[in-house]
Amino acid sequence: MDVRRLLSLFVADFPESQTGVFMKFSKLPALIAKGQSVCCTLLFCFASSSADTTLLKNVNGYTLDENRNLKRFNAIQFTGDKIDRTFNADSESLNFANYDEIIDINNHLLIPGLIDSHGHILSFGLSLLRTDLVGASSETEAAGRVEEFASKNPTLSWIQGRGWNQVLWENKEFPSIKSLDETTTTKPIWLTRVDGHAGWANSAAIEIAGVTEFTEDPEGGQIIRDPSGKPTGVFVDNAMNLIRQHIPAPTLQEQKVALQTAMLELAAYGLTSVHDAGVSSTTIRAYKELAKDGPLPIRVNVMIAATDEFFEDRLAEGKFRDDHDTLTINSVKIAADGALGSRGAALIDDYSDSHGHTGLLLHSQERMQYFMRAGMNAGFQINTHAIGDNANMLVLNNYEQLILETNSRNLRHRIEHAQILRYEDISRFASLGVIPAMQATHATSDKNMAIDRLGETRIQGAYAWRKLLDSGTRIANGSDFPVESPNPFFGLHASVTRQDRKNQPDNGWFPEERLSIEEAFASFTIDAAYAGHQERIVGTLESGKKADFIVVDLDIFSAPDTQIWEAKPLQTWVNGVQISNQDP
């Protein structure tokens, strides 16, 4: 039976909703939890006795040619999971008798599947199953959401959540233990900040962890304290482990549920590939088990977490890819510093709004070089989180030394985020062959506090997309979900306008750093594919590449730039199979 028919039978009882695929496949986590394998046999069966040839006609198609210019087409043909060719119907006649299936796209936009070069799939999946604090306008509102969630989930031993951001609150101060202790729940509470670099705990959690006023700050971490030295409930970067180590880890089966839930939701956003930034050995096992049962719903390029206790074992196993190229493991993720919002980003000079504080380096120089050297010698790409100018400088210094030592320039090492750069470091990316993997929506989210943190001079080297492109490097774009929304059209809009979704400020925030729509499109397609060593199979729509594409309700190339964020995917196709959602 045709896989689209199987899909239609499975989802027939589910109403349409704004959450798309996630709601349509709402029974999937329960099926997986019961040990039922549905990945290949029902939902994502790519194999068939004979590969059908499909034509999509009346297409408003865009891709990039070999010169990175936009190329238009009106029809696309694929057989099985591979593209045969695209057509310009104005000059080429189509013999409709040659196809097993013909689908009319009704002149909607069709583009290559979009690629998020930096996200956290397990965290995103778990966030869908925890307290959502994103957008809470005050500490009181955040605590209220926690109380409501706890009352609806009485069986949980820990109340967890993510997404609070004190920068959005009137006083802009870190939250306190008091507001959580005043909720009706007496269970331990642990709430991660929106950037994942700080956590907020109640007294029950702190008591379980045994943290007191006499507990010393760990290296690369900070316990926020009141004037008497007592913990206020907020833990920054490595100090978060004081609490997290006492939270029961999700089981392998729970991780599989969260991963599958997240991947289906990401597909509904129009993402066909994601680079998963920092994955543990247990999560790698979960991915491999899902891939063994059948192709993953979207492509996942896994970065091995350097801090995983079995890091050397994972390197010794070598690189990995499944038969359908939906699971790839060829890189290592290291974190050099924290985040700007929590003042954990490592700066050369003091924070402009915190005298005497320069942020946090999470590893010693020796430890950092150990991770990098081990990965490079094993043939893995090294992807290092660096936000502050000091962290970026040190990572580039290490890359310069170790790339020469290991002869690994061709591995295309990356800096994840590359947010705040000295002018003299901007050109080093291209000269070293290092790729900045950046997130456009970070700039439009951080604009409310970045100048306060950095001052008027350093901000000139922050979120410096245009300066980096003009220096000759490529930018791989993404979102860092669940820190930001995974919606790639939000990222495209921010890249082109340097505005938030209220289209503020009027002319864009430091508008000289804007990208053109073609450059932004490349950063979410071919350049993101290049950053994952996958440009030969995805990133453009051309003969021999995978049939990964999306159908969209808005032509982002002709619509006003201010409307790009409003675009919504109508269909998502991976490996020539439609996995979401409503027909155009």
Side-chain angles (χ1 to χ4, degrees):
M1 180 182 291
D2 182 83
V3 70
R4 280 176 287 273
R5 175 60 177 156
L6 286 173
L7 284 166
S8 66
L9 290 174
F10 183 75
V11 303
D13 294 333
F14 295 94
E16 292 291 335
S17 76
Q18 291 182 340
T19 54
V21 149
F22 177 62
M23 290 302 296
K24 283 188 172 184
F25 294 98
S26 59
K27 286 185 177 179
L28 182 59
L31 292 174
I32 299 175
K34 294 178 181 178
Q36 299 183 33
S37 174
V38 296
C39 294
C40 180
T41 56
L42 181 58
L43 297 178
F44 307 111
C45 187
F46 287 71
S48 62
S49 57
S50 61
D52 290 343
T53 298
T54 302
L55 177 74
L56 273 58
K57 67 175 184 176
N58 293 329
V59 164
N60 178 24
Y62 289 84
T63 187
L64 292 169
D65 63 20
E66 62 275 10
N67 297 316
R68 303 167 65 80
N69 296 317
L70 285 178
K71 175 184 176 182
R72 302 288 303 274
F73 59 92
N74 296 330
I76 184 169
Q77 172 190 318
F78 57 93
T79 301
D81 65 348
K82 297 282 184 65
I83 296 168
D84 298 317
R85 62 176 301 186
T86 58
F87 299 90
N88 184 338
D90 294 335
S91 59
E92 301 175 70
S93 60
L94 302 175
N95 186 347
F96 294 146
N98 293 336
Y99 302 101
D100 298 291
E101 184 171 14
I102 299 172
I103 300 174
D104 192 335
I105 300 300
N106 296 321
N107 204 39
H108 282 290
L109 178 70
L110 188 150
I111 56 177
L114 298 176
I115 302 171
D116 192 314
S117 70
H118 186 110
H120 304 277
I121 296 179
L122 180 62
S123 294
F124 180 60
L126 292 173
S127 74
L128 297 172
L129 308 172
R130 291 178 178 170
T131 316
D132 180 10
L133 302 177
V134 174
S137 60
S138 66
E139 180 177 341
T140 300
E141 181 184 343
R145 291 191 193 183
V146 172
E147 185 169 29
E148 181 181 5
F149 178 84
S151 68
K152 293 179 179 178
N153 296 274
T155 62
L156 296 176
S157 58
W158 279 71
I159 304 302
Q160 297 183 68
R162 179 170 184 145
W164 60 270
N165 184 0
Q166 84 283 2
V167 174
L168 302 178
W169 304 344
E170 185 175 354
N171 63 9
K172 301 187 185 304
E173 298 292 334
F174 277 135
S176 71
I177 198 171
K178 180 180 178 181
S179 56
L180 294 184
D181 287 348
E182 289 176 348
T183 65
T184 56
T185 184
T186 58
K187 294 178 179 179
I189 300 172
W190 178 245
L191 310 169
T192 308
R193 192 181 184 276
V194 66
D195 58 14
H197 287 271
W200 175 21
N202 68 347
S203 291
I206 291 174
E207 183 176 346
I208 289 171
V211 174
T212 70
E213 62 267 36
F214 303 109
T215 303
E216 294 183 0
D217 288 355
E219 183 179 355
Q222 182 184 14
I223 304 170
I224 304 299
R225 306 171 191 268
D226 66 17
S228 69
K230 292 182 179 180
T232 64
V234 173
F235 298 76
V236 180
D237 286 315
N238 286 352
M240 297 167 68
N241 294 330
L242 297 171
I243 306 294
R244 288 189 302 203
Q245 64 183 321
H246 297 280
I247 302 174
T251 66
L252 179 68
Q253 198 61 37
E254 289 169 341
Q255 290 199 34
K256 289 168 71 174
V257 172
L259 292 172
Q260 196 77 355
T261 300
M263 288 186 287
L264 290 168
E265 184 77 350
L266 294 168
Y269 282 107
L271 293 170
T272 58
S273 299
V274 169
H275 301 175
D276 198 346
V279 175
S280 70
S281 288
T282 303
T283 307
I284 288 173
R285 180 184 170 190
Y287 271 127
K288 286 185 174 180
E289 289 191 8
L290 288 171
K292 184 178 180 180
D293 288 342
L296 302 180
I298 63 173
R299 302 188 195 282
V300 179
N301 194 318
V302 165
M303 307 178 199
I304 302 170
T307 52
D308 182 76
E309 61 179 321
F310 301 110
F311 173 60
E312 291 184 351
D313 293 338
R314 299 290 79 78
L315 294 182
E317 288 174 349
K319 299 176 184 178
F320 175 88
R321 53 182 285 206
D322 72 333
D323 292 339
H324 302 279
D325 285 305
T326 59
L327 178 61
T328 301
I329 305 173
N330 63 14
S331 61
V332 168
K333 165 70 182 304
I334 307 169
D337 66 344
L340 188 64
S342 52
R343 297 187 184 87
L347 303 180
I348 296 170
D349 297 317
D350 290 356
Y351 275 78
S352 296
D353 59 357
S354 182
H355 181 69
H357 182 66
T358 57
L360 300 167
L361 288 169
L362 303 186
H363 304 289
S364 67
Q365 178 76 348
E366 294 74 21
R367 185 74 168 162
M368 179 74 67
Q369 285 205 355
Y370 157 71
F371 289 140
M372 291 179 175
R373 183 180 285 111
M376 290 178 183
N377 283 331
F380 282 74
Q381 177 188 51
I382 306 301
N383 304 336
T384 307
H385 163 121
I387 290 182
D389 54 4
N390 190 34
N392 277 281
M393 178 186 68
L394 292 174
V395 171
L396 287 168
N397 289 346
N398 284 325
Y399 280 174
E400 185 169 9
Q401 173 190 336
L402 295 175
I403 287 172
L404 184 62
E405 176 186 314
T406 60
N407 191 28
S408 63
R409 181 187 174 98
N410 65 328
L411 292 177
R412 305 174 188 173
H413 305 299
R414 297 167 33 167
I415 291 186
E416 308 300 303
H417 311 307
Q419 276 188 15
I420 305 153
L421 303 171
R422 303 183 307 160
Y423 270 80
E424 54 266 45
D425 285 333
I426 289 174
S427 62
R428 298 176 72 192
F429 284 82
S431 65
L432 294 172
V434 172
I435 299 169
M438 307 180 77
Q439 299 76 41
T441 48
H442 278 341
T444 54
S445 294
D446 291 358
K447 61 182 172 59
N448 296 321
M449 58 82 181
I451 296 179
D452 292 340
R453 298 282 193 275
L454 300 174
E456 297 290 346
T457 300
R458 281 182 296 194
I459 198 68
Q460 300 298 323
Y463 317 91
W465 315 329
R466 170 55 52 201
K467 293 183 182 74
L468 281 162
L469 278 188
D470 288 348
S471 74
T473 191
R474 300 186 183 203
I475 290 176
N477 223 320
S479 66
D480 199 14
F481 67 79
V483 176
E484 304 279 359
S485 167
N487 190 326
F489 296 100
F490 292 178
L492 286 164
H493 168 264
S495 297
V496 174
T497 66
R498 299 280 291 199
Q499 294 175 322
D500 59 29
R501 291 186 294 282
K502 295 180 181 179
N503 292 308
Q504 293 297 315
D506 287 339
N507 295 317
W509 188 63
F510 294 97
E512 64 273 14
E513 298 294 344
R514 287 182 298 205
L515 306 184
S516 69
I517 183 61
E518 294 84 3
E519 291 166 336
F521 181 54
S523 72
F524 274 99
T525 54
I526 191 60
D527 289 341
Y530 179 85
H533 292 270
Q534 293 180 307
E535 75 277 8
R536 294 182 180 178
I537 62 169
V538 293
T540 58
L541 299 176
E542 56 186 297
S543 176
K545 286 194 174 182
K546 295 287 189 178
D548 291 8
F549 52 84
I550 59 175
V551 178
V552 186
D553 69 348
L554 176 72
D555 185 341
I556 60 173
F557 301 101
S558 63
D561 293 343
T562 54
Q563 295 179 12
I564 293 174
W565 70 270
E566 300 178 42
K568 293 180 175 59
L570 300 172
Q571 297 180 2
T572 301
W573 295 68
V574 178
N575 271 339
V577 174
Q578 183 184 344
I579 60 173
S580 73
N581 44 10
Q582 61 189 26
D583 289 331

